[in-house]
Amino acid sequence: MKYIGLIVCLFISSIFSINAQEILSPNKKIKVIVTADNNSFGQVSFKILYKNKLEYIEVLPNSPMGIVRDDQQFTDNLKLVDASKVKEVNQKYEMIAGKRKLCANQGVEKVFKYVNSNNKPLNIVFRVYNDGVAFRYEFTDKIDALVNVIDEMTTYVFPSTTNRWLQSYTESYEDFFPFSDSGKANNNKQEWGFPALFKVNNNPVWVLISEANSTENNCAARLSNLKNPNEYKVSYASPRDNFKQTGVKTMLPWNSQWHTLIIGQLSDVVESTLIMDVSEPNQLKETDWIKPGPVSWIYWAYNRGSKDYQKVVEYTDLAVAMKWPYVLIDWEWDVMTNGGDIIAAVNYAKSKGIKPLIWYNSGTSWLEPTPNDRMLTAEKRAKELAWLKEIGIYGIKVDFFAGDQQDMMKLYLDILKDAAKYQIMVNFHGATVPRGWARTYPNLMTTEAVYGAEWYNNKPTLTNKAAEHNATLPFTRNVIGSMDYTPVTFSNSQHPHITSYGHELALSVVFESALQHFADRPEAYNSLPVEPKEFLKKVPVTWDETKLVDGYPGEKVIMARKKGNQWYLGGLNGKDEKQTLKIDFGFLDKANYKLKLIKDGVNDKSFDVEIINVKKGAVLNVECLPRGGFVAVLEKQKEKN
């Protein structure tokens, strides 16, 4: 009898080994289990576990996979024919901009090869990293005719007690990330844009879902939980009025974008470079001409573009006074008057040692702002970019893209490629979220895709929501790439802001953007006290290292970013009440440091400055006003002989 029991156990064990295969991250903290049945046709699913202390916590219960073409489906009719051995992925690379200079694409990869009931092949490739998981679909057969990839069955399943911070989907990705424990939207659409943040099942485990390495043969996706609030299905961009296509039309072989899940403690999420890690390496041969930096920006203060030559002069002079290398000449520059035209404005900037950047309408969406017809086709781009190079323009801001369809993915990439030929940097506005392109084409300096400070011009909503929103973005939108929020405003635009001056100053460190557009009026910066003004003259926009010191979405954040031998700290109070932010200096080397702290003063329009000696392991409590904040600079002290 015992032999029968042993045989049964061995049989069950062999069935389990067939039906489920594990992939472990290099540090063994993340475990992916993929169903891989080679005995019958069925649906593939995967689950993710995370090792917290001594035990594995289920992060993602069994979650369906699959993809659909117009000529074939690969959903509930898949059979495993082969699974590769786990292989190491190990690639070091350097970023010109971003949260970290030296990065490593370091994980393990396993490829599952399936066929559907028509014997057509599909590969599902998994990569597992110490800070997350990425997977993609691959059609490996060769078909010269176009096929239409129309849908995915990919669904992220979460326990019902999961907390979430999700943005309702809009084409411009300009909305808030409100906290929810139900997964239900204020509208009936139940559609969500990337990135999407989850805190799983009351455990200290966080997941940020997005996607990366989209190409001209992909469209961008979104999430939908219309059928079940705890099941988030990947959905492709909808057709639009003048682009009727659903999904992607492509010849084979083909692969999807990488679906990414950044997983771990909150600091693992914030500090992750997974979006860049899985994206294609730099395609540009020369990059010495790519120079990140602060920018003076006209639009915010006047809710208008740059048709007034005298305003362009004012903001050029501001850049000179603040030692910022760039001035952005925004929309309406093609009808500039009041003393000069665009050539005069460019020449004035160059005469002052300031490098001009210039705005364009993409020509695909809201066509009223001009110039609106110069970036849409290859021929028009070549003509315009050659002219820009000739007159001395260093970068373009391209605005008002039409959506997330395949033709828009192609347009983004075509603009980046064409601009690089003329050594022109690029800023995308009114655009999709970052998808790893800044690694592939490092002339992409920043992307809007955020409910930023320009919204003080449009509605009164941001006045009361800004502090909480600002304290949420470091855990959501800014994780996946540079974010052109247009920060650090002390005066008011059309609608007032009630964040403190200390809070506003801290945005220069808390928010990462390779072109940091400082948005306020010249007189607002000129009238600052000496210490905050000098801080804004020197604060970097690119970083060697980034650390989350403390934080929780919507409540507080303390970011530490290293540049050379200095650490810059920024802290935000996201609450409408006073809060003490605690700086733990455990991230420092074993040395003595001098800290210059610029924090909230006696009221929200004043500052207080302190000089403090600190070392590794020290703790400093900083009192913040409601919606307040602080910045600090840490300088390592030379050892005495």
Side-chain angles (χ1 to χ4, degrees):
M1 189 72 180
K2 70 177 182 179
Y3 292 110
I4 294 174
L6 179 61
I7 291 169
V8 168
C9 288
L10 289 172
F11 176 76
I12 292 172
S13 175
S14 67
I15 291 294
F16 178 79
S17 67
I18 291 171
N19 288 338
Q21 297 198 28
E22 293 184 0
I23 317 167
L24 283 171
S25 62
N27 65 3
K28 314 300 182 190
K29 279 195 170 185
I30 297 175
K31 180 188 296 185
V32 177
I33 301 175
V34 183
T35 58
D37 196 342
N38 59 4
N39 289 328
S40 62
F41 292 97
Q43 184 166 52
V44 178
S45 64
F46 74 108
K47 68 165 61 176
I48 299 177
L49 296 91
Y50 179 81
K51 193 171 187 180
N52 185 44
K53 296 181 180 178
L54 297 177
E55 62 179 1
Y56 281 101
I57 297 168
E58 190 173 69
V59 174
L60 220 67
N62 275 331
S63 296
M65 305 187 77
I67 194 164
V68 180
R69 300 195 321 235
D70 61 348
D71 64 328
Q72 299 284 332
Q73 73 168 34
F74 301 81
T75 54
D76 55 357
N77 60 340
L78 294 175
K79 181 179 180 180
L80 182 72
V81 294
D82 190 28
S84 73
K85 293 182 179 180
V86 172
K87 74 173 185 179
E88 182 180 332
V89 176
N90 193 347
Q91 180 186 55
K92 290 182 168 56
Y93 64 97
E94 189 170 315
M95 292 291 292
I96 293 174
K99 65 182 77 173
R100 184 175 299 113
K101 183 177 180 180
L102 301 177
C103 301
N105 177 21
Q106 215 160 30
V108 295
E109 179 179 289
K110 189 176 181 72
V111 181
F112 297 89
K113 297 183 178 182
Y114 298 92
V115 294
N116 69 3
S117 50
N118 296 325
N119 206 37
K120 299 299 181 182
L122 169 71
N123 288 357
I124 303 179
V125 182
F126 272 91
R127 288 186 182 176
V128 185
Y129 297 82
N130 290 340
D131 60 354
V133 175
F135 64 90
R136 73 181 185 188
Y137 300 100
E138 296 179 346
F139 294 126
T140 56
D141 50 343
K142 191 176 188 305
I143 298 179
D144 291 332
L146 287 174
V147 299
N148 192 181
V149 185
I150 56 176
D151 196 12
E152 288 191 23
M153 297 300 107
T154 309
T155 304
Y156 303 106
V157 178
F158 285 95
S160 60
T161 53
T162 294
N163 293 334
R164 40 209 117 181
W165 291 260
L166 284 78
Q167 176 180 213
S168 291
Y169 176 78
T170 64
E171 289 180 351
S172 64
Y173 293 84
E174 295 179 45
D175 209 336
F176 298 101
F177 291 83
F179 166 78
S180 171
D181 58 7
S182 68
K184 295 181 179 179
N186 294 327
N187 54 48
N188 295 322
K189 290 184 177 181
Q190 294 295 127
E191 285 190 327
W192 312 96
F194 291 127
L197 179 66
F198 302 85
K199 184 176 183 292
V200 180
N201 207 20
N202 293 321
N203 290 307
V205 182
W206 300 76
V207 180
L208 186 78
I209 297 177
S210 197
E211 58 184 18
N213 203 43
S214 300
T215 72
E216 61 270 14
N217 286 320
N218 303 125
C219 64
R222 66 194 73 162
L223 298 175
S224 172
N225 65 341
L226 187 61
K227 293 182 178 180
N228 184 320
N230 300 307
E231 297 181 2
Y232 294 83
K233 179 185 173 300
V234 172
S235 301
Y236 287 164
S238 305
R240 65 176 190 274
D241 291 343
N242 61 344
F243 190 78
K244 303 298 184 182
Q245 175 182 306
T246 297
V248 173
K249 289 188 176 179
T250 181
M251 289 190 289
L252 305 186
W254 173 88
N255 57 261
S256 73
Q257 70 279 27
W258 286 104
H259 302 62
T260 61
L261 302 95
I262 303 173
I263 302 169
Q265 307 300 308
L266 199 51
S267 58
D268 297 322
V269 172
V270 171
E271 297 166 17
S272 174
T273 58
L274 183 62
I275 298 296
M276 303 301 171
D277 296 344
V278 299
S279 295
E280 289 298 311
N282 176 20
Q283 300 296 298
L284 306 184
K285 292 181 179 179
E286 296 181 6
T287 58
D288 290 347
W289 53 272
I290 301 172
K291 303 290 185 183
V295 189
S296 66
W297 186 49
I298 293 175
Y299 172 86
W300 183 84
Y302 304 101
N303 199 22
R304 294 304 301 175
S306 300
K307 65 190 297 183
D308 187 336
Y309 172 79
Q310 298 304 328
K311 293 297 180 189
V312 177
V313 168
E314 284 183 28
Y315 279 81
T316 300
D317 292 343
L318 171 65
V320 173
M322 296 300 293
K323 299 181 180 179
W324 300 335
Y326 298 107
V327 61
L328 174 62
I329 303 172
D330 218 287
W331 65 3
E332 302 177 313
W333 57 260
D334 56 325
V335 290
M336 189 181 297
T337 58
N338 195 21
D341 60 8
I342 183 60
I343 298 299
V346 168
N347 287 338
Y348 181 80
K350 291 193 296 183
S351 74
K352 297 290 185 178
I354 302 300
K355 300 173 182 178
L357 314 174
I358 199 167
W359 181 96
Y360 283 92
N361 190 321
S362 71
T364 64
S365 182
W366 183 32
L367 299 180
E368 179 184 337
T370 61
N372 62 14
D373 61 347
R374 306 186 191 186
M375 288 290 151
L376 191 54
T377 68
E379 294 76 16
K380 288 180 178 180
R381 280 194 301 274
K383 179 180 178 181
E384 195 72 9
L385 291 165
W387 175 67
L388 294 179
K389 181 69 173 177
E390 180 185 342
I391 67 172
I393 297 292
Y394 288 80
I396 54 174
K397 172 183 174 180
V398 188
D399 210 340
F400 303 129
F401 289 86
D404 277 335
Q405 294 80 10
Q406 182 183 5
D407 66 329
M408 288 297 101
M409 299 298 107
K410 184 177 186 303
L411 180 58
Y412 288 120
L413 293 168
D414 285 348
I415 289 172
L416 290 171
K417 294 174 191 175
D418 289 347
K421 296 174 187 175
Y422 297 90
Q423 298 190 341
I424 300 287
M425 299 180 292
V426 178
N427 170 13
F428 287 136
H429 254 236
T432 195
V433 293
R435 300 177 189 275
W437 297 330
R439 181 184 177 193
T440 312
Y441 299 101
N443 58 321
L444 175 57
M445 308 307 290
T446 190
T447 302
E448 185 185 27
V450 65
Y451 199 100
E454 75 172 34
W455 277 93
Y456 284 116
N457 285 313
N458 304 328
K459 294 181 179 180
T461 311
L462 195 56
T463 293
N464 293 313
K465 288 192 172 185
E468 180 182 359
H469 180 54
N470 294 344
T472 303
L473 292 172
F475 308 103
T476 51
R477 164 62 183 86
N478 212 181
V479 172
I480 63 172
S482 284
M483 181 179 75
D484 195 13
Y485 178 99
T486 59
V488 190
T489 55
F490 303 104
S491 67
N492 289 325
S493 184
Q494 274 56 49
H495 300 283
H497 63 69
I498 55 175
T499 50
S500 78
Y501 280 18
H503 184 111
E504 289 296 318
L505 189 64
L507 299 180
S508 65
V509 176
V510 174
F511 293 165
E512 181 271 311
S513 180
L515 292 175
Q516 191 74 280
H517 290 83
F518 293 127
D520 211 337
R521 298 169 173 82
E523 56 266 29
Y525 296 117
N526 292 334
S527 62
L528 285 172
V530 172
E531 296 293 352
K533 185 189 291 186
E534 289 301 310
F535 180 87
L536 282 176
K537 288 180 180 180
K538 298 175 182 177
V539 63
V541 302
T542 62
W543 307 99
D544 298 332
E545 188 61 79
T546 291
K547 296 287 185 183
L548 175 67
V549 177
D550 192 18
Y552 195 88
E555 296 183 5
K556 61 182 177 180
V557 60
I558 304 175
M559 298 288 284
R561 301 190 191 270
K562 190 179 185 183
K563 185 70 172 182
N565 293 321
Q566 292 181 316
W567 282 95
Y568 287 76
L569 277 70
L572 301 178
N573 177 10
K575 295 182 177 181
D576 292 329
E577 59 194 43
K578 290 182 178 180
Q579 186 175 188
T580 300
L581 299 186
K582 184 171 72 173
I583 308 173
D584 185 333
F585 292 99
F587 62 90
L588 293 176
D589 296 333
K590 289 183 177 179
N592 294 318
Y593 288 81
K594 181 178 76 173
L595 178 142
K596 178 180 283 188
L597 177 69
I598 307 173
K599 62 179 182 176
D600 292 328
V602 295
N603 58 50
D604 62 357
K605 292 179 173 56
S606 63
F607 297 96
D608 192 12
V609 180
E610 294 183 26
I611 307 295
I612 306 167
N613 293 320
V614 298
K615 60 176 64 176
K616 183 179 177 68
V619 174
L620 178 66
N621 292 323
V622 182
E623 301 293 332
C624 291
L625 294 175
R627 303 171 299 279
F630 70 86
V631 296
V633 182
L634 280 159
E635 192 106 36
K636 186 183 287 190
Q637 301 299 289
K638 294 181 180 179
E639 293 185 11
K640 296 180 180 179
N641 294 330

